[in-house]
Amino acid sequence: IIEGKPLPEPLSYATKPEVGYLAPNFSIKTVEGKQVRLADYLGKVVIIDFWATWCPFCASQYNSLSRFGSMAKKDLVILSVNRAETKQAVQDFFKKLNRPENFLVGVDPSDTLFGHYNGTALPLLIFIDRDGVIRAIVDHEMTVQDIYDTALPLLRAMPACWQEGRGKTC
């Protein structure tokens, strides 16, 4: 673990799709058929990436996310959520692409999660710290450097639940 200062406490321990609140939990099936929950990744930094195959900015951002994911395999999970497309369309999109093992691709055929996170534009990135708190919401394409600048403080920070004397556990 990279040592650093703790991040500020959440604004509230309520779940809400806004910066400073705990991220609403959800469950989604990956293109490989595995059921995953956001809560499964407490203790890791999570980037939720909402995208679609028809979105050119989403496609070009994939390379940036994949490169960043390769740099921080141990402490980072990228949960890429496809909006309202078939599993086959998503599999075809990724067929020729390499993705690191910490880059999970989920399919949301009913497109409920995007609205659940108040999405309005693609791509939409939600940066979540190790404690499950949303620290940034970005609704435009990001470069590798932009992703690095946003995620690095989260990767370096000590989770609040790991601070000595707090009586909390992850």
Side-chain angles (χ1 to χ4, degrees):
I1 292 178
I2 304 169
E3 293 298 322
K5 296 180 182 177
L7 293 167
E9 287 287 326
L11 297 174
S12 165
Y13 284 99
T15 60
K16 194 174 183 181
E18 294 181 18
V19 172
Y21 290 85
L22 291 173
N25 192 24
F26 61 87
S27 180
I28 193 168
K29 231 177 213 180
T30 66
V31 290
E32 294 83 17
K34 180 182 177 188
Q35 194 75 28
V36 296
R37 295 176 318 139
L38 179 60
D40 294 340
Y41 303 106
L42 277 175
K44 293 186 182 237
V45 172
V46 177
I47 301 173
I48 302 173
D49 168 39
F50 289 99
W51 68 283
T53 60
W54 49 262
C55 168
F57 304 108
C58 299
S60 62
Q61 182 171 263
Y62 165 79
N63 293 324
S64 298
L65 281 169
S66 181
R67 285 179 52 206
F68 184 73
S70 295
M71 290 188 268
K73 287 182 182 177
K74 181 180 170 192
D75 295 321
L76 173 76
V77 172
I78 299 167
L79 186 49
S80 187
V81 178
N82 177 268
R83 292 192 57 210
E85 295 183 273
T86 66
K87 180 179 172 182
Q88 188 60 52
V90 174
Q91 286 175 325
D92 290 347
F93 180 81
F94 282 102
K95 198 175 285 184
K96 296 176 185 158
L97 300 173
N98 290 324
R99 59 185 161 104
E101 61 191 49
N102 62 339
F103 193 113
L104 306 174
V105 178
V107 181
D108 184 17
S110 62
D111 199 21
T112 55
L113 290 177
F114 189 68
H116 192 59
Y117 272 84
N118 298 331
T120 58
L122 287 180
L124 175 66
L125 295 170
I126 314 286
F127 290 81
I128 302 170
D129 71 15
R130 296 173 193 272
D131 292 312
V133 178
I134 297 173
R135 296 300 178 175
I137 299 173
V138 180
D139 64 355
H140 56 80
E141 182 180 1
M142 297 180 81
T143 64
V144 174
Q145 187 63 51
D146 295 334
I147 295 167
Y148 181 87
D149 291 344
T150 306
L152 188 62
L154 306 180
L155 288 165
R156 284 187 172 160
M158 178 189 306
C161 64
W162 293 353
Q163 295 175 49
E164 287 186 43
R166 298 290 299 268
K168 298 180 182 177
T169 58
C170 289

